[in-house]
Amino acid sequence: PVVSMALNIIDKINLEKGDHVAIFGGGKLGIVLACLINYYQAVPIFVISNPKMQQIALQKNIFYTFNDDEKANEEIFAATGGRLCEKVVYLCDAAINVEKAIDACGINAIFCVGGWLNTKCNLNLQYIQDKNITVNSVDNCYGNFPSALNLLTNGLIKVDDFDYEELSFNDLDKTIPQVKEDQPLYQNIIITFE
């Protein structure tokens, strides 16, 4: 589902070769999206505060991987030669202020909210209108399963190097209450049946 949702986001932002695409947050989804953007010959810029995800992104050749701090937008400005990004994706699980993502948009940019929104997200409509930003969203992984399977089976996108934990189905009632709220965002949980 993660690869299929990333493909839906790529479809929604009308990705073109050479585009600078800032991705704010997202853990696995953000990394998979950045890898696909690389594959389609655009330039991903990944902004996330989780050091483990930053390291995985760098290992997957996501050259522009920045920490979510006060310097992130300065680094995006430098990486784009001052033009900012043609496309910006804000992933709903991002613990990043949405205004920072809007700031990364260039004039006439496309801004996409991706994932499942579970909190309120306030956008400054005046700022969006001043920059002539197109806003859209993706909240599902339907429609791109065949393409996602093709990318996975041909080894073009690899997700097997993400950390995972195996849980026995018989132990779920004991284990699930111990799972931290943000753990599923950064770690695969595989349930085994015995």
Side-chain angles (χ1 to χ4, degrees):
V2 171
V3 177
S4 188
M5 179 172 271
L7 287 168
N8 285 352
I9 291 169
I10 284 173
D11 288 346
K12 191 65 103 167
I13 64 173
N14 296 324
L15 184 68
E16 295 179 20
K17 184 177 177 179
D19 280 344
H20 287 89
V21 184
I23 304 159
F24 285 81
K28 291 180 285 192
L29 177 57
I31 289 174
V32 168
L33 180 59
C35 289
L36 285 169
I37 289 166
N38 256 347
Y39 174 73
Y40 290 115
Q41 299 179 348
V43 182
I45 300 171
F46 189 48
V47 180
I48 192 163
S49 57
N50 183 299
K52 189 174 189 178
M53 289 293 113
Q54 289 174 2
Q55 189 62 35
I56 292 170
L58 290 169
Q59 290 168 355
K60 290 183 173 283
N61 298 317
I62 310 304
F63 179 73
Y64 294 118
T65 298
F66 302 131
N67 190 29
D68 168 36
D69 58 22
E70 64 280 347
K71 293 189 280 183
N73 280 357
E74 291 174 24
E75 292 169 321
I76 291 171
F77 187 84
T80 60
R83 292 172 292 152
L84 298 175
C85 295
E86 295 91 351
K87 317 285 168 54
V88 174
V89 178
Y90 179 83
L91 296 171
C92 294
D93 64 350
I96 300 171
N97 186 324
V98 70
E99 293 296 325
K100 187 178 283 188
I102 293 288
D103 285 343
C105 290
I107 302 298
N108 301 317
I110 295 175
F111 182 82
C112 182
V113 178
W116 297 275
L117 195 61
N118 56 8
T119 60
K120 280 191 172 183
C121 181
N122 297 317
L123 300 176
N124 181 337
L125 294 180
Q126 182 64 50
Y127 189 47
I128 288 169
Q129 191 173 30
D130 289 347
K131 286 182 131 182
N132 198 33
I133 297 170
T134 300
V135 178
N136 54 42
S137 67
V138 171
D139 69 348
N140 65 69
C141 52
Y142 304 113
N144 270 311
F145 284 118
S147 297
L149 287 172
N150 184 47
L151 290 165
L152 289 165
T153 56
N154 287 313
L156 300 170
I157 296 295
K158 296 182 189 300
V159 293
D160 55 350
D161 55 350
F162 288 112
D163 287 341
Y164 69 91
E165 178 181 351
E166 285 189 22
L167 301 177
S168 169
F169 181 78
N170 297 332
D171 295 334
L172 280 181
D173 60 336
K174 295 177 235 162
T175 309
I176 292 297
Q178 299 171 8
V179 174
K180 295 177 189 159
E181 185 175 318
D182 67 344
Q183 185 175 352
L185 303 176
Y186 303 112
Q187 182 177 14
N188 294 322
I189 298 174
I190 297 172
I191 300 171
T192 57
F193 297 89
E194 299 165 1

